[in-house]
Amino acid sequence: MKPWKTNIRRVTPYVPGEQPKGEHLIKLNTNENPYPPSPFVKKAMDEMDYGLFRKYPDPASSVLTEALCEYYQIGEDEIFVGVGSDDVIAMAFLTFFNSQKPVLFPDVTYSFYEVWAKLFQIPYITPALDEDFLIKKEDYYRENGGIIFPNPNAPTGVLMPLSEVEDIIAHNQESVVIVDEAYIDFGGVSAAGLIKKYENLLVVQTFSKSRSMAGMRIGYAMGNRDLIRALNDVKYSYNSYTMNMPSQILGAAAVKDDRYFKETLDKIITTRERAKERLSRLGFKFPDSMANFIFASHKEKSAEEIYLALKENQIFVRYFKQPRLDSYLRITIGTDEEMRQLYDFLEEFLS
Ligand SMILES: *Cc1c(COP(=O)(O)O)cnc(C)c1O
């Protein structure tokens, strides 16, 4: 083989859920929020001066970090923002996971972790979830080069109580522990309150799900100032101007509308709890979800069959054709009307 070919970095990329195009489809496959962003975002967008785009954006994204610091009552040296939490977590892998020892994350989890570990050539071990899809915290009481897990976990939706999250952090004060809280706003208690107690804790959140702004690509990490400084050093060694100006301005506007945020969350949580009842009655089984999706398998029909039939009818859910996951569908919580159409279709299809 030509030397340049052998020198190519070969990676198997992460596969995002599809973004089908069309008018009347029901999209329950990528855990987006079914409601629009806050009206504050609309207002800020209408008032935005396009002439600003001539200049580079603020590399520190200060309008956004200030809004987040006020919201979470933390210092400006305790927050890092990035282009979606994918960007934040990728930076965190690059910054914190530099040991010869393996990084630990669950076998069933956000599949991007494995992709980053391979991309950055970080050794890793994936302790298995138990048969109920729970993380066994004792699996993380061993030598490691870092730990990351989502809470609630994805794609299962299972929430770990904060006391157990703290146990994992407390047992691993030699490593950086990253808690990926992409879904925490849908019913969990954040570990962000622990960043002053544990200097090895990094809590990552996103605007993509609970704040209805997946298209704006905004994520952030909260942690001890030494961790944040290290993240910034890596970021500024890679690309200083990661977040564009509209995302900074509109993200800050979203954070200031806490009432809308809470109302939207309440609606989704109510729809989710109703979905649990409806799906059980339709013959589905699922771990109890505290996220904006339900990971469900049917007691008779195969998940793939249901997935394809739904897709045929313009209802998109996520199906992972891989061991341990292939009898499940991950169904994002949509509006009540979208969910009604889902139940109507399933009722007929499954009978
Ligand atoms: C959606 C998701 C992310 C990434 O979200 P961004 O859109 O990049 O902010 C990260 N972790 C988990 C577990 C997710 O589900």
Side-chain angles (χ1 to χ4, degrees), residues 95-96 225-235:
T95 310
F96 303 119
R225 60 178 60 87
D226 292 332
L227 296 184
I228 298 301
R229 191 181 305 120
L231 271 173
N232 274 310
D233 286 346
V234 169
K235 174 204 148 162

Side-chain angles (χ1 to χ4, degrees), residues 193-204:
L194 299 174
I195 64 166
K196 298 209 201 286
K197 186 165 170 193
Y198 298 99
E199 59 182 20
N200 60 321
L201 168 64
L202 194 76
V203 176
V204 180

Side-chain angles (χ1 to χ4, degrees), residues 168-216:
I168 292 179
I169 303 161
H171 274 84
N172 286 284
Q173 299 193 40
E174 311 289 303
S175 320
V176 173
V177 178
I178 304 177
V179 186
D180 178 355
E181 295 188 334
Y183 303 102
I184 197 72
D185 297 324
F186 299 103
V189 183
S190 173
L194 299 174
I195 64 166
K196 298 209 201 286
K197 186 165 170 193
Y198 298 99
E199 59 182 20
N200 60 321
L201 168 64
L202 194 76
V203 176
V204 180
Q205 296 192 2
T206 174
F207 281 47
S208 297
K209 282 85 184 213
S210 56
R211 292 190 185 272
S212 311
M213 291 176 80
M216 277 288 131

